[in-house]
Amino acid sequence: MIDNKLNFFFKNQIWHIGGLILLFYLGSQIVDFENTSNVFLGISAKSWFMFSMGTPLVHQVYVWLCWRSVLCWKTISRTIGFKAYAVIFFIIAIPRLFSIGLCFADYGSWFTPGWIAWGVSVLIFIPFIYTLYSIKKYFGFMRATGIDHFDPSYKDKPFERRGIFKWTPNAMYTFAIAVFFGFAISAGSKAMFVFAAYTYIGTWLHYFCTEKVDMVMIYGKK
């Protein structure tokens, strides 16, 4: 039972959303596009960068609003329902992958990549692929969207400990999100590396400020 629903709805969000906005600003200051005219698919490197940086912000704000409103007032369950929420979740999440275009638009701005860089990238891609495999085989993509916020039966289900989850309970944030570092290194792109760092730190902000708090509410302190 949530004693003060409005307080719980906004709990830690000044750190979560405020942190994302601050990181967005810092990232935009680090990367300088003034002396570059690089484009990919007719879109400038700066536009690719700003689009990429916006995707985690939009996605995480959407998740926070939906998850907390469900726990507090069952808002989404009583309106569009979980399936519609999940469809929108993936529609908003997929554009994150389009940030790969930034690699082409900003290729070699940090360093000229070679075999060493590509080898390091492969080392990052391997756990990413294993994480996706483990999510599909053991965890389930619906659970990854936060179905436990909607379906009360999930509170009695154990946490996943198979596949890559045997090594870390939060493999999606530890390994899957880190894939953007692989793209940054393989392309030698400074802008992509800044985006990767922004995405990685921002995702952990989401975990500690939103998801971890929600998990205690759903599953108990266990």
Side-chain angles (χ1 to χ4, degrees):
M1 181 66 67
I2 301 174
D3 295 326
N4 191 317
K5 293 181 179 180
L6 193 60
N7 279 352
F8 179 78
F9 181 80
F10 287 103
K11 186 174 182 178
N12 293 341
Q13 293 311 304
I14 189 172
W15 306 110
H16 177 210
I17 307 303
L20 284 173
I21 294 173
L22 177 60
L23 289 170
F24 190 111
Y25 172 76
L26 292 176
S28 65
Q29 297 303 303
I30 292 173
V31 184
D32 181 16
F33 292 103
E34 294 300 324
N35 298 316
T36 179
S37 58
N38 293 350
V39 297
F40 177 64
L41 298 179
I43 302 173
S44 68
K46 183 176 182 179
S47 295
W48 276 110
F49 178 72
M50 298 305 292
F51 167 79
S52 299
M53 293 287 280
T55 55
L57 180 60
V58 172
H59 189 212
Q60 289 178 214
V61 168
Y62 171 74
V63 170
W64 157 55
L65 291 173
C66 291
W67 284 5
R68 289 288 172 86
S69 65
V70 165
L71 291 178
C72 291
W73 303 289
K74 306 293 183 184
T75 306
I76 305 300
S77 299
R78 292 171 178 171
T79 53
I80 63 174
F82 171 74
K83 290 184 178 179
Y85 152 80
V87 170
I88 297 172
F89 178 97
F90 286 115
I91 290 175
I92 297 176
I94 288 174
R96 289 196 184 203
L97 299 177
F98 296 161
S99 63
I100 297 173
L102 180 59
C103 294
F104 296 97
D106 193 57
Y107 188 88
S109 65
W110 188 16
F111 60 86
T112 302
W115 289 108
I116 294 177
W118 298 328
V120 172
S121 299
V122 169
L123 294 178
I124 297 174
F125 292 144
I126 290 174
F128 165 74
I129 294 171
Y130 187 38
T131 299
L132 292 184
Y133 168 80
S134 297
I135 292 173
K136 183 179 185 302
K137 185 172 178 64
Y138 303 115
F139 194 76
F141 286 103
M142 288 300 99
R143 195 170 186 179
T145 67
I147 193 174
D148 50 2
H149 287 68
F150 297 81
D151 188 344
S153 68
Y154 275 82
K155 70 178 182 179
D156 298 320
K157 294 185 178 183
F159 287 98
E160 189 55 66
R161 291 292 185 267
R162 293 172 293 179
I164 200 168
F165 299 105
K166 179 180 179 181
W167 308 105
T168 173
N170 209 332
M172 288 185 290
Y173 298 166
T174 304
F175 298 118
I177 299 299
V179 71
F180 294 111
F181 286 110
F183 287 114
I185 294 171
S186 65
S189 169
K190 180 180 179 180
M192 189 66 187
F193 187 85
V194 170
F195 165 70
Y198 167 71
T199 301
Y200 199 75
I201 297 171
T203 300
W204 282 104
L205 272 176
H206 159 75
Y207 172 73
F208 285 110
C209 295
T210 304
E211 184 171 348
K212 190 172 183 180
V213 176
D214 291 6
M215 288 170 66
V216 172
M217 180 60 61
I218 296 169
Y219 297 98
K221 293 184 178 181
K222 67 180 180 179

